[in-house]
Amino acid sequence: MRKRLAIEIRGIVQGVGFRPFVRLLAEEFALSGWVKNTAEGVSVEAEGEVARLDEFLRRLSSRAPALARVDAVTSGEMPVLAGEGFLILESGSGSAATLIAPDTAVCTDCLAETRDENSRRFRYPFTNCTNCGPRFTIVKSLPYDRAATTMSGFALCPDCEAEYHNMRDRRFHAQPNACPLCGPCLFLSYPDKSPLAGDCLESARRFLAEGKILAVKGIGGYHLVCDAMNEEAVARLRAKKYRYDKPFALMMPDVATVRRFCLVSGEEEKLFSSWRAPIVLLRADPQGRAVAAQVAPGNSRLGVMLPYTPLHHLLMQGQEALVMTSGNVSDEPIAHEDGDAFARLAAIADCFLWHDRPIFRRCDDSVLVCAAGRPRLLRRGRGYAPEPLPFYSSDNDILACGGQQKNTFCLVKNGQAFLSQHIGDLHNTPTLESYAAEIGHFENMFDIKPALAAHDLHPGYLSAQYALSLPPGVVKTGVQHHHAHLASVLAENRLDEKCIGVIFDGSGFGADGCLWGGEFLLGDLSSYQRMAHLGYAPMPGGEQAVREPWRMALAYLTEAFPEGLSPRMKMLFPAEWPLVWQAAQKGVNAPLTSGMGRLFDGVAALFGKAAVNYEGQAAIELEQALTECDLPPYNFALIEKDPLLIDWRPVIKEAWRDVAGGQSMGVVSSRFHRGVIKMVTEVCLELRRRTAVNLVALSGGVWQNAYLLEQTMESLQKEGFTVLSNELVPANDGGLALGQAAVACALAKKR
Ligand code: ZN
Ligand code: ZN
Ligand code: FE
């Protein structure tokens, strides 16, 4: 018996070779009909024998192309037409809400071609196909067709055109398809744009060998690149970039090389060699090869990625390890437009290896770490954005504006959450402009018209100011910072039930106007209650105390030792400390903080770390110094109040006794970490007694500390708790937007 079905397919089904896959499958089952891209996904009409149609339907999802993600296949019966052949129809135009694939690392087939002397793409740096290459960063609008990408200016040559139209070719409808005859060109130029003669790649490799700094145009922006084995080159890059201490990312040519430098688990290897090709934080092998010390000073982890474009592979030839850091000065956004890149990076780079395929949107490399048995995103960018996360159903489109630091935003439509790539810190005009522009692009691309805007309560956050500046027709919802962190964990799991949120971060704006960050919240999506928190301490000099942890040590020591500071303590502080403390006591620029991140800083500063060059540096160094020991953990005191008060004074007293007694940082770190873990367990047990809630959500930047996360989870699980933490979005403020969206969505449903 014959039947005709109208089939709708949803998911990541455009730009991934889905239509030719459907057509080949239809031919295999002798079906007639057609397939086309639509604004919502892919539409198919297929006609044939019932049994064959059933199998066809099944295979649509089970055999889908590598990069596709089929979320739903629905079908309905239609009148039989008895037509012949199976066609691929041109895309309809109009509004577009289709999903688009992230940028994808070069596939093995394409890589082989660039290494094959007989191929017309021998050594061609822009080789790609339906299974690989740039996507998100070159798309201007949808539906995804060449004309809507930054490839529109490159007319296909006859050979490429033939591939593009040949359904049996790997490059059938591959929009960025290109070859040396018709595609983008590579250039090597001095900072004044004057070209260098000779083979670009050969010269570029020679420059690297000579210790020079290259600006290299990649997928989502420019990288600054130098030989990671060359101490002088790395130091020079640091000085020119005004970036001190913060680790540089590395690119290594292959897995075998990575294993010579790092200790790599099977899971980690799978992660960095996937098509997403992110940076993965790996433990440096103390017995292995070592990169220049300046790559990651004071850090036992290395951020490593594999080459993900043919250009990278060609550049890596003969190299062991290259520094590959974002092409920017200090904390500005990564440069992605050629003019801007030359203007901003000319003072840093000795020459530019670039090309004429425009990058439409900037997108930093993603960063992950494997902790507590799971890969966890620390920065969500290339290879992940804009792949949506399944979300709660909502009647309205939602915009969640995110935080101030490590900003991302989130747009919700039809039960899907589209997270932006990492935008960065919104403290300067260029980043804010990039932020507003990117929200506009996302709204256009996915046809999202937010009726709700969620934002942080901090009046100084530019993201919150942006939300409040939206037209009056958009309903604004303020979401408390740590409530949003809690909700981000629930949202990843699409849960909405009461949990104990243990939210530890540097700071976020609290409901009482203080800076929170050592919080135990009892909450679900629509409400929360502050059940316990770390005792307040003044932050002398406000934000300055983040860069200068001695200020926190001063505050903690003064409160822990009311009898007065010893001479030895005073040696930790620069000469101006009495003035700083006087001002703090008068309440001048000394906001109260309960931030766990600050307490980590303060304990690290007991060892004389007066200043740091990036937020959390002292805490990271404290974590990495940790050496296992048998001495008991430090003790927090719990003071019966509402909310429960967690007193850190005994911890500071014990820690100082150890420091003064000559204990190593490793021992103090171990006792301190275990003290925090014991305290978290005790408080959770107490809250479970009071509330009968057994689900714990760990979120906030402090949980990026892998030791703390793993040991706390283990300790809580031993007590029978169900423990969740962030995986798909960062536990730091990069995950706030998802949580804000979840809260706004839940509150809207209640109204
Ligand atoms: Zn390919
Ligand atoms: Zn061509
Ligand atoms: Fe936070």
mmCIF file with all atom_site columns, all heavy atoms in Angstrom, residues 391 561 742:
data_model
loop_
_atom_site.group_PDB
_atom_site.id
_atom_site.type_symbol
_atom_site.label_atom_id
_atom_site.label_alt_id
_atom_site.label_comp_id
_atom_site.label_asym_id
_atom_site.label_entity_id
_atom_site.label_seq_id
_atom_site.pdbx_PDB_ins_code
_atom_site.Cartn_x
_atom_site.Cartn_y
_atom_site.Cartn_z
_atom_site.occupancy
_atom_site.B_iso_or_equiv
_atom_site.pdbx_formal_charge
_atom_site.auth_seq_id
_atom_site.auth_comp_id
_atom_site.auth_asym_id
_atom_site.auth_atom_id
_atom_site.pdbx_PDB_model_num
ATOM 1  N N   . PHE A 1 391 ? 14.580 24.244 27.004 1.00 0.00 ? 391 PHE A N   1
ATOM 2  C CA  . PHE A 1 391 ? 14.182 25.140 28.097 1.00 0.00 ? 391 PHE A CA  1
ATOM 3  C C   . PHE A 1 391 ? 12.735 24.865 28.475 1.00 0.00 ? 391 PHE A C   1
ATOM 4  O O   . PHE A 1 391 ? 12.046 24.079 27.823 1.00 0.00 ? 391 PHE A O   1
ATOM 5  C CB  . PHE A 1 391 ? 14.371 26.590 27.613 1.00 0.00 ? 391 PHE A CB  1
ATOM 6  C CG  . PHE A 1 391 ? 14.424 27.625 28.702 1.00 0.00 ? 391 PHE A CG  1
ATOM 7  C CD1 . PHE A 1 391 ? 15.523 27.700 29.551 1.00 0.00 ? 391 PHE A CD1 1
ATOM 8  C CD2 . PHE A 1 391 ? 13.401 28.545 28.861 1.00 0.00 ? 391 PHE A CD2 1
ATOM 9  C CE1 . PHE A 1 391 ? 15.608 28.663 30.534 1.00 0.00 ? 391 PHE A CE1 1
ATOM 10 C CE2 . PHE A 1 391 ? 13.467 29.518 29.855 1.00 0.00 ? 391 PHE A CE2 1
ATOM 11 C CZ  . PHE A 1 391 ? 14.569 29.572 30.688 1.00 0.00 ? 391 PHE A CZ  1
ATOM 12 N N   . PHE A 1 561 ? 41.158 39.143 65.422 1.00 0.00 ? 561 PHE A N   1
ATOM 13 C CA  . PHE A 1 561 ? 42.043 39.431 66.561 1.00 0.00 ? 561 PHE A CA  1
ATOM 14 C C   . PHE A 1 561 ? 41.711 40.810 67.128 1.00 0.00 ? 561 PHE A C   1
ATOM 15 O O   . PHE A 1 561 ? 42.438 41.779 66.887 1.00 0.00 ? 561 PHE A O   1
ATOM 16 C CB  . PHE A 1 561 ? 43.516 39.372 66.132 1.00 0.00 ? 561 PHE A CB  1
ATOM 17 C CG  . PHE A 1 561 ? 43.974 38.002 65.728 1.00 0.00 ? 561 PHE A CG  1
ATOM 18 C CD1 . PHE A 1 561 ? 43.906 37.584 64.391 1.00 0.00 ? 561 PHE A CD1 1
ATOM 19 C CD2 . PHE A 1 561 ? 44.472 37.101 66.674 1.00 0.00 ? 561 PHE A CD2 1
ATOM 20 C CE1 . PHE A 1 561 ? 44.318 36.311 64.016 1.00 0.00 ? 561 PHE A CE1 1
ATOM 21 C CE2 . PHE A 1 561 ? 44.886 35.828 66.294 1.00 0.00 ? 561 PHE A CE2 1
ATOM 22 C CZ  . PHE A 1 561 ? 44.808 35.425 64.970 1.00 0.00 ? 561 PHE A CZ  1
ATOM 23 N N   . ALA A 1 742 ? 15.225 31.699 33.422 1.00 0.00 ? 742 ALA A N   1
ATOM 24 C CA  . ALA A 1 742 ? 14.377 30.684 34.061 1.00 0.00 ? 742 ALA A CA  1
ATOM 25 C C   . ALA A 1 742 ? 13.481 31.323 35.121 1.00 0.00 ? 742 ALA A C   1
ATOM 26 O O   . ALA A 1 742 ? 12.299 30.984 35.234 1.00 0.00 ? 742 ALA A O   1
ATOM 27 C CB  . ALA A 1 742 ? 15.250 29.595 34.683 1.00 0.00 ? 742 ALA A CB  1
#
